[in-house]
């Protein structure tokens, strides 16, 4: 009975295989014109997620905007002078005219509401209707600013050197683009002021734009470095082009499927080309073995067939392990995480399909004289790299106990480091310290209340509850309690308006900077205020029924944990001061916390599930749980050692590093699969039980493929160390470390473990 072989078919019909591949590639390539890009981290969570639904409800209830840019103006001599104030007025005026800016709610010197009184009558109007015309007006502005707690730390720093213009954006506006227009406005002004542009939409949209720009730049550079490295390894232009063609074709198929299916390219899926290029390097084991086989056989077609027969099992199972590791992400809750997992799993399957079709087909086109010339030094006995790898394996095989104990000691230290890992996301910290965005954010957080904004929504069960004196005093107490946190720079609520009105209506006497004693007085004050103030002034802090109040909380850091501290402090205050209200967090700072927890939680759960799945794959591959345990060791050691370093260095465990976990899982286990499969093949081929010699042969011959794989991938992605975004630097550094470390552990530690467990592994197998 005829048994179909894809390898034989590809060797017999190479032109057909190549043309079919080209045709399908062109089909996927046609989808690229439909690409949609989404850089908003909010879309990491589905629209139906509780936090998005609740935040949208809060925005509607209190007439809020989800995105706000903070424009800082700093003058070391003080901003309260006629020249600086004139520039601030002109800049604010032009910002009001920008498309995408919610101009009616911009807050700065010329637009923010000031509450005063004259002859017992409440006056509500802009703080600075126009630039001061004389020193008397400047001094009056100074008194108005520092005499009003609503303004200090909000639009004026306590030292008078910094002010801020808060620029809310219309829904759908691009923060990076509007920030660029604001920079153009500022550039027209002279003077000695320093200007800063900060806020979540600026960091988020700039990061998204930079990320895609870097992907467009670094992917080709990484590909070029890989090509040069392959050429140096194999000294064959045809083989180098073949490997790069396989990687690029798989990327086109995968991204074409993503785009064709209607999914936008998100932050995570934009990393897919890098991951797939990494996974594609596993085909280097085919080229590595082909060179050895051709040197022995001097028959190209026979060498191709024997190569594929020798490596087919490890190649299949490395693909199975990698694809399964990523496929578990399909069971997560976050849609972009699911899409990312499915995308990489599909690309991995495509790459392995090419391993048994396109690669054998391409090998048939290479002229034999070129192969013969290139393989002259390809010998496990003569090659310097092969001899070096053999010596490393010999160290593990001849001193197995010492090697194992040294590894365990290192592992204990790594576990201690891993226990220090801090899970946190901070989008602003993803920029280098010297970057404009990071400098602006740091300066504004030091000078004013903070650029990160969260809300605490206080909900009562009856209308007009917030007009009660006890409710107002409770809100005031909550604010003072929150302001005791180092991460909180400023709070603001309806109570601040009430206290301000009470004071100015009593001749600005400080003793009346308190909550009135009656509900009627509070209600009257707020009614008078609403008659003259901007609608948003009151709408932002209390609902029309006065049943719900919104406490604004400005944070001095974008760390996700900052909002958690606020929530915990609110809970502590509520327990100590019981009141018939509920407190629910909201705002961008709260969303970042939930996003941090859910996305990282999904990645960690997926990683743990993948560990189980990979173990099952190893057991199926080796047909032995014992061999699976041994193959698992380099994987676990690599991961723990890397995260031990993360813990000791104090680097936050954020989304990029959680993604790296999945990559380290797939790559580290590949080396074990190749090593153990080829070792067991060698024992079966030689028909003896010279375990040490089989281990040394495996390290020198298939081990050279492992070494080449690690060096190739590490060299290509070292380019990420020069990126302007810190996640790329971190991922680049740890990928290089991961590849070299997992290769070293495979070549050194597996021989030691196999030697120590020889009876447990081999005698048990013989008995079977």
């Amino acid at each position: 009975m005829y048994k179909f072989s894809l390898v034989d078919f590809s060797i017999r019909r190479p032109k057909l295989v190549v043309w079919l591949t080209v045709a399908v590639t062109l089909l996927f390539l046609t989808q690229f014109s439909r690409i949609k890009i989404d850089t908003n981290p909010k879309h990491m969570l589905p629209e139906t997620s509780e936090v998005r639904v609740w935040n949208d409800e809060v925005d509607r209830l209190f007439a809020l905007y989800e995105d706000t840019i903070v424009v800082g103006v700093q003058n070391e001599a003080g901003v309260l002078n006629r020249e600086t104030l004139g520039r601030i007025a002109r800049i604010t005026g032009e910002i009001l005219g920008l498309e995408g800016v919610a101009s009616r709610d911009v807050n700065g010197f010329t637009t923010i509401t000031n509450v005063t009184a004259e002859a017992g009558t409440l006056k509500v109007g802009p703080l600075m209707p126009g630039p001061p015309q004389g020193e008397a007006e400047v001094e009056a502005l100074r008194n108005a600013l520092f005499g009003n707690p609503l303004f200090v730390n909000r639009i004026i720093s306590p030292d008078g050197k910094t002010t801020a213009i808060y620029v809310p954006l219309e829904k759908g506006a691009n923060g990076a683009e509007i920030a660029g227009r604001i920079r153009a406005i500022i550039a027209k002004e002279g003077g000695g002021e320093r200007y800063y542009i900060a806020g979540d939409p600026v960091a988020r949209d700039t990061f998204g734009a930079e990320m895609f720009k870097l992907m467009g730049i670094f992917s080709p550079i990484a590909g070029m470095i890989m090509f040069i490295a392959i050429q140096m390894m194999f000294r064959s232009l045809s083989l180098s082009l073949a490997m790069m063609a396989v990687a690029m074709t798989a990327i086109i198929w995968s991204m074409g499927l993503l785009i064709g299916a209607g999914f936008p390219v998100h932050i995570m899926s934009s990393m897919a080309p890098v991951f797939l290029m990494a996974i594609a390097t596993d085909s280097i084991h085919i080229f590595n073995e082909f060179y050895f086989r051709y040197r022995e056989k001097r028959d190209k077609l026979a060498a191709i067939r024997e190569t594929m027969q020798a490596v087919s099992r490890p190649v299949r199972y490395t693909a199975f392990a990698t694809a399964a590791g990523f496929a578990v992400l399909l069971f997560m809750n976050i849609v972009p995480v699911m899409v990312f997992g499915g995308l990489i799993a599909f690309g991995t399957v495509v790459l392995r399909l090419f391993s048994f079709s396109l690669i054998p087909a391409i090998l048939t086109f290479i002229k034999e004289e070129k192969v013969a010339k290139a393989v002259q030094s390809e010998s496990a006995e003569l090659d310097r790299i092969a001899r070096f790898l053999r010596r490393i394996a010999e160290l593990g095989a001849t001193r197995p106990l010492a090697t194992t104990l040294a590894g365990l000691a290192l592992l204990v230290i790594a576990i201690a480091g891993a226990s220090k890992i801090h899970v946190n996301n901070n989008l602003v910290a993803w920029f280098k310290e010297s970057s404009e965005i990071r400098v602006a954010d740091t300066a504004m957080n030091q000078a004013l209340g903070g650029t990160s904004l969260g809300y605490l929504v206080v909900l009562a069960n009856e209308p007009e509850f917030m007009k009660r004196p006890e409710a107002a005093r409770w809100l005031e107490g909550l604010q003072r309690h929150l302001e005791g946190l180092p991460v909180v720079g400023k709070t603001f609520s309806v109570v601040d308006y009430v206290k301000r009105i009470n004071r100015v209506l009593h001749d600005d006497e400080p003793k009346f900077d308190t909550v009135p004693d009656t509900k009627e007085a509070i209600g009257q004050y707020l009614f008078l205020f609403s008659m003259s103030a901007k609608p948003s002034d009151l709408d932002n802090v209390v609902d029309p029924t006065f049943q719900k109040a919104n406490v604004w909380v400005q944070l001095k850091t974008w760390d996700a944990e900052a909002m958690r501290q606020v929530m915990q402090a609110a809970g502590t205050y509520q327990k100590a001061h019981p009141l018939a209200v509920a407190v629910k967090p909201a705002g961008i700072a709260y969303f970042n916390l939930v996003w941090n927890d859910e996305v990282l939680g999904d990645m960690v759960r997926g990683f743990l599930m993948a560990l189980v799945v990979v173990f099952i794959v190893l057991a199926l591959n080796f047909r032995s749980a014992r061999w699976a345990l041994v193959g698992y060791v380099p994987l676990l050691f690599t991961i723990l050692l890397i995260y031990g370093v993360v813990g000791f260095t104090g680097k936050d465990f954020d989304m990029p590093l959680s993604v790296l976990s999945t990559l380290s899982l797939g790559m580290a286990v590949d080396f074990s699969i190749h090593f153990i499969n080829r070792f067991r093949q060698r024992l079966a081929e030689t028909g003896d039980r010279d375990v040490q010699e089989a281990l040394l042969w495996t390290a020198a011959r298939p081990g050279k493929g492992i070494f080449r794989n690690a060096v190739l991938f590490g060299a290509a992605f070292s380019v990420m160390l020069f990126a302007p975004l810190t996640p790329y630097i971190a991922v680049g550094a740890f990928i290089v470390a991961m590849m070299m470390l997992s290769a070293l552990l495979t070549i050194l530690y597996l021989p030691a473990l196999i030697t120590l467990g020889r009876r447990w592994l081999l005698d048990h197998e013989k008995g079977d």
Side-chain angles (χ1 to χ4, degrees), residues 617-652:
V617 171
L618 287 174
L620 290 173
N621 175 30
F622 302 138
R623 298 190 179 95
S624 166
R626 299 186 181 196
W627 278 109
L629 283 172
V630 172
Y632 222 48
V633 171
L635 163 68
L636 293 178
F637 271 36
T638 298
I639 293 167
L640 287 172
L641 289 173
I642 286 177
Y643 290 115
V645 173
V646 172
F648 280 125
T649 59
K651 174 75 175 71
D652 283 341

Side-chain angles (χ1 to χ4, degrees), residues 435-482:
S435 70
E436 183 180 348
I437 287 176
R438 187 103 172 246
V439 169
D441 191 76
T442 300
M444 296 304 291
N445 283 331
Q446 288 176 348
L448 296 168
T451 58
S452 177
L453 183 62
Y455 305 120
L456 289 179
V457 181
V458 181
L459 306 101
N461 294 321
E462 58 183 271
E464 301 202 336
F465 186 86
M466 298 306 163
K467 292 181 180 179
R468 293 184 178 184
E470 64 269 25
R473 293 190 182 103
W474 190 89
L475 287 174
E476 182 185 17
L478 174 62
Q479 290 180 245
R480 300 295 85 77
H481 182 69
L482 295 177

Side-chain angles (χ1 to χ4, degrees), residues 254-277:
S254 302
M255 297 305 292
L257 177 66
L258 173 79
I259 297 166
F263 292 104
V265 178
H266 206 281
I267 288 175
M268 293 192 66
S269 55
S270 71
M271 301 179 189
V274 177
F275 280 75
L276 291 174
M277 202 174 291

Side-chain angles (χ1 to χ4, degrees), residues 317-466:
Y317 275 94
T318 54
F320 189 15
T322 303
F326 281 100
V328 298
L329 299 180
L330 290 168
F331 300 96
M332 301 298 103
N333 299 317
I334 310 302
V335 174
V337 172
M338 296 167 61
V339 171
F340 174 73
L343 180 64
I344 302 299
F346 172 78
T348 303
V349 172
V350 170
L351 284 167
R352 291 298 77 86
L353 173 65
F354 290 163
S355 295
F356 294 96
S357 57
L358 186 58
I359 290 177
I362 292 174
L363 288 175
T364 64
F365 293 117
I366 302 174
K367 293 181 180 179
E368 292 215 22
E369 57 268 24
K370 291 186 177 180
V371 179
K373 183 179 178 181
V375 302
Q376 288 177 2
S377 63
E378 204 72 18
S379 166
E381 294 77 27
L382 302 176
D383 184 75
R384 286 180 298 176
I385 295 175
R387 293 200 303 269
F388 172 70
L389 296 172
R390 186 183 179 95
R391 284 196 293 270
I392 292 176
E394 190 172 14
L395 176 64
T398 55
R399 300 182 179 179
L401 185 59
T403 302
T404 303
L405 291 176
L408 288 174
L410 194 60
L411 191 64
V412 170
I413 297 173
I415 292 172
S419 67
K420 300 178 181 292
I421 282 179
H422 180 237
V423 178
N424 183 47
N425 261 318
N426 183 327
L427 185 60
V428 173
W430 289 1
F431 295 86
K432 286 184 176 179
E433 289 186 11
S434 58
S435 70
E436 183 180 348
I437 287 176
R438 187 103 172 246
V439 169
D441 191 76
T442 300
M444 296 304 291
N445 283 331
Q446 288 176 348
L448 296 168
T451 58
S452 177
L453 183 62
Y455 305 120
L456 289 179
V457 181
V458 181
L459 306 101
N461 294 321
E462 58 183 271
E464 301 202 336
F465 186 86
M466 298 306 163

